[in-house]
Amino acid sequence: MKIIRNSTPAADGFRMPAEFEGHEGCIMIFPERSDSWQYGGYAARKAFVQIAEAIAKSEKVTVCAGGRQYDQARSMLPDQIRVVEMSSNDAWARDYAPTFVKNDAGVIRGVDWGFNAWGGLYDGLYFPWDKDNQMARKLCDLMDRDIYDKRDFILEGGSIHVDGEGTCIVTESCLLGKGRNPELSREQIQENLQKYLNVSKVIWLPCGIYNDETDGHVDNICAFTAPGEVVLAWTEDREDVQYAMSGACLNCLEEAVDARGRKLRIHKLPLPKPVTVTEEECEGLDCCGDGPVRTPGERLAASYVNFYIANGSIVVPGFGDPADEEAKAVLGELFPDREIIQIYTRDILIGGGNIHCITQQIPK
Ligand code: KQY
């Protein structure tokens, strides 16, 4: 593996493909951290395994497991899923497994962004994050892929979505927050995205999902489903604080054109009714530092937009809400050639994310 420090993907003719393009595989990390996952991952790992199995129906899945959980992961996961021992601070593969870029000859390289647990010492979610920050490099080493060093720029994979044709969508609440790159202007941040994802157009949405502790990752509010087409998390409930947030994003998307000059087709994906964490669930979580991670009644950032596009399926969260069926139906219309697999993910949501947050695709 070569660490590339003196060039960029754009300069070398590499671009980040869209998630709906073909995959060689998918990376996940087995849950273990006891202040993220109830009972040290005991509850969440069942859903993690179901997700890995669903994705493995149509692409190769690699699950990284820490030393203490290796045997557990290996015994719970089917043989065709590769399990490798790799240490990490938590299990958010989307955010710190490599972002992969590809050139016209089909060569794949990684990008190694800096990671500081969603805000570092300013408003990050845990400390330390050193092992998470090493994962992109370790994975590229394992896969024998060269990697661009961009550790001087803090970025999580869940904070970007691309169409593979020159457009990237991000949120201002996340990328312009003080916890990541406070010394960089919006223009400088945009320039980094242009050089390292090889995009010419960045669409800046104002915000994400209410109470999303990532400062509003785009992958919970809006996602490309095809070139020129997006889904947007939506509620018709005017009393819900999310109503104005989704409305502001809708206005922004309606105004936007993509890198190819197209107006976007915007599909509304309903949100479930507000999901809150129970006292019993909070009891299953350890404290982080000197305080509890969750408090009973706290609203969780539940959204169907946090789905994963696998080669043969869409793996979408379920919340036991009447909107589960509607979300499946909307996605079924948008992805007629893929099976829609819905998995009940409440135990992952309690950790602060969902299916997209715990998966990272490797392009074919
Ligand atoms: O990408 C994500 N949604 C990760 C959130 C991290 C939560 C840590 N408890």
Side-chain angles (χ1 to χ4, degrees):
M1 176 194 70
K2 191 169 68 187
I3 299 176
I4 307 166
R5 295 196 168 89
N6 54 6
S7 190
T8 67
D12 296 341
F14 284 73
R15 67 173 177 104
M16 182 182 176
E19 194 171 320
F20 48 74
E21 295 180 49
H23 298 177
E24 179 186 299
C26 176
I27 298 164
M28 296 178 66
I29 306 167
F30 207 69
E32 174 176 0
R33 191 183 170 97
S34 58
D35 56 12
S36 282
W37 314 105
Q38 298 167 80
Y39 307 105
Y42 178 80
R45 67 195 190 196
K46 291 176 199 157
F48 268 70
V49 169
Q50 286 171 354
I51 292 162
E53 286 173 342
I55 297 171
K57 283 164 96 175
S58 63
E59 54 191 66
K60 178 79 192 166
V61 176
T62 299
V63 175
C64 303
R68 284 190 300 265
Q69 283 293 319
Y70 174 81
D71 282 341
Q72 186 66 35
R74 185 60 286 170
S75 71
M76 285 184 80
L77 290 159
D79 295 355
Q80 78 270 24
I81 292 181
R82 175 167 60 173
V83 181
V84 291
E85 183 183 334
M86 193 177 289
S87 51
S88 63
N89 302 104
D90 204 352
W92 305 100
R94 174 64 50 185
D95 290 341
Y96 36 81
T99 295
F100 290 100
V101 291
K102 176 179 169 176
N103 71 5
D104 287 344
V107 178
I108 307 289
R109 291 178 177 167
V111 178
D112 185 10
W113 315 105
F115 177 75
N116 72 356
W118 309 276
L121 299 181
Y122 178 74
D123 64 352
L125 300 176
Y126 52 67
F127 177 88
W129 50 79
D130 55 328
K131 291 191 166 48
D132 294 340
N133 208 15
Q134 291 173 333
M135 283 204 92
R137 232 170 250 194
K138 287 182 183 173
L139 282 157
C140 280
D141 229 341
L142 183 72
M143 294 163 51
D144 205 14
R145 305 286 182 195
D146 294 341
I147 189 163
Y148 290 94
D149 175 15
K150 196 52 183 164
R151 283 189 178 174
D152 65 351
F153 180 58
I154 303 295
L155 190 90
E156 302 96 47
S159 70
I160 51 171
H161 255 310
V162 298
D163 66 355
E165 297 189 354
T167 314
C168 176
I169 305 186
V170 299
T171 61
E172 292 174 344
S173 58
C174 179
L175 270 71
L176 303 183
K178 290 199 171 73
R180 290 176 174 82
N181 302 287
E183 72 293 353
L184 298 185
S185 67
R186 177 190 176 106
E187 290 68 34
Q188 288 168 319
I189 290 171
Q190 184 159 299
E191 198 180 317
N192 280 338
L193 298 174
Q194 288 169 336
K195 286 184 179 161
Y196 282 82
L197 302 173
N198 200 356
V199 295
S200 57
K201 178 70 187 265
V202 179
I203 298 174
W204 291 83
L205 301 182
C207 56
I209 292 289
Y210 174 70
N211 228 16
D212 185 329
E213 61 193 1
T214 63
D215 303 303
H217 272 182
V218 72
D219 72 348
N220 221 13
I221 183 110
C222 182
F224 281 108
T225 55
E229 293 196 39
V230 295
V231 283
L232 172 67
W234 190 254
T235 175
E236 296 291 348
D237 181 0
R238 289 171 178 269
E239 302 300 312
D240 186 340
V241 59
Q242 184 63 43
Y243 183 83
M245 296 171 78
S246 290
C249 291
L250 178 64
N251 292 342
C252 185
L253 290 165
E254 282 175 343
E255 293 290 306
V257 286
D258 68 12
R260 302 216 175 172
R262 291 175 288 226
K263 295 293 286 180
L264 296 169
R265 288 189 64 197
I266 306 157
H267 307 277
K268 292 175 179 169
L269 197 53
L271 281 157
K273 282 194 287 300
V275 178
T276 55
V277 66
T278 67
E279 192 166 348
E280 195 185 19
E281 287 166 338
C282 291
E283 279 166 8
L285 291 167
D286 279 350
C287 286
C288 183
D290 56 3
V293 183
R294 305 254 173 262
T295 43
E298 176 183 331
R299 182 160 168 185
L300 301 167
S303 167
Y304 300 105
V305 170
N306 211 278
F307 56 82
Y308 178 76
I309 307 175
N311 282 339
S313 63
I314 303 297
V315 189
V316 60
F319 303 104
D321 185 278
D324 283 5
E325 286 305 314
E326 201 184 331
K328 267 169 72 177
V330 172
L331 292 170
E333 296 261 312
L334 295 174
F335 295 101
D337 300 330
R338 298 185 211 232
E339 184 188 2
I340 310 298
I341 305 176
Q342 191 162 55
I343 295 173
Y344 181 71
T345 53
R346 185 177 175 96
D347 290 324
I348 298 178
L349 178 66
I350 290 168
N354 222 309
I355 296 172
H356 197 256
C357 307
I358 60 162
T359 50
Q360 178 64 270
Q361 71 277 1
I362 309 161
K364 203 189 275 294

